[in-house]
Amino acid sequence: MFGRSSTPPLFVLAATLGCGGIIAVPAAAQSPATISVDSALTYRVTTLAIGGTADCSGGGTAGIQVVDGSLEQMFSGGIGGPIAVKLDGPVQIDCDGISHAWSGNLIAPGRALPNDSGGMVTVNLSQGSTVIATTGSRPIHIVS
């Protein structure tokens, strides 16, 4: 019951490792990622220019996605149903802790883009399948 243990007490092992140069150093905390979107979209007949700023740290890259974008269809005499919009291709930034301007083109697959409209958009910043920052739903409008 009170026999000798073959393992040294934990504090002795820790002291031995500490003297040998193996010291645990906490990893530096990454700063939180951020993303913003400009409310004005520039009309370009077949696309709308969209942009903003984003930053992240930790290395690698992060992708920007418009995950919920829509414009109200404007026409003489009223407003029609919403027009879904999305980016026409990938947009990425470096995760180097520096704020980067980003830009892309919104398209409305199968629909004509209005030249005078407004709506809402949500933009995410993701690394792989993990969303690291979001704008939340933001108002947008088209400018010529």
Side-chain angles (χ1 to χ4, degrees):
M1 181 164 155
F2 293 105
R4 281 196 85 148
S5 170
S6 62
T7 32
L10 185 58
F11 69 89
V12 174
L13 181 61
T16 304
L17 290 175
C19 294
I22 301 173
I23 300 173
V25 177
Q30 291 185 14
S31 57
T34 63
I35 187 163
S36 69
V37 62
D38 299 330
S39 63
L41 306 175
T42 304
Y43 180 71
R44 295 185 183 154
V45 182
T46 59
T47 65
L48 299 170
I50 187 170
T53 59
D55 69 82
C56 52
S57 60
T61 60
I64 294 166
Q65 301 89 29
V66 172
V67 294
D68 186 21
S70 68
L71 298 168
E72 291 300 322
Q73 183 177 7
M74 307 292 278
F75 60 91
S76 164
I79 299 176
I83 299 172
V85 292
K86 66 177 190 171
L87 286 171
D88 68 348
V91 177
Q92 294 191 325
I93 64 159
D94 291 325
C95 288
D96 55 9
I98 299 171
S99 182
H100 296 280
W102 64 269
S103 63
N105 296 306
L106 291 177
I107 58 172
R111 301 285 301 268
L113 287 168
N115 61 2
D116 181 21
S117 182
M120 302 296 284
V121 68
T122 300
V123 183
N124 287 348
L125 182 63
S126 302
Q127 283 188 310
S129 61
T130 304
V131 175
I132 57 175
T134 186
T135 61
S137 186
R138 296 282 184 247
I140 53 174
H141 63 276
I142 297 173
V143 295
S144 296

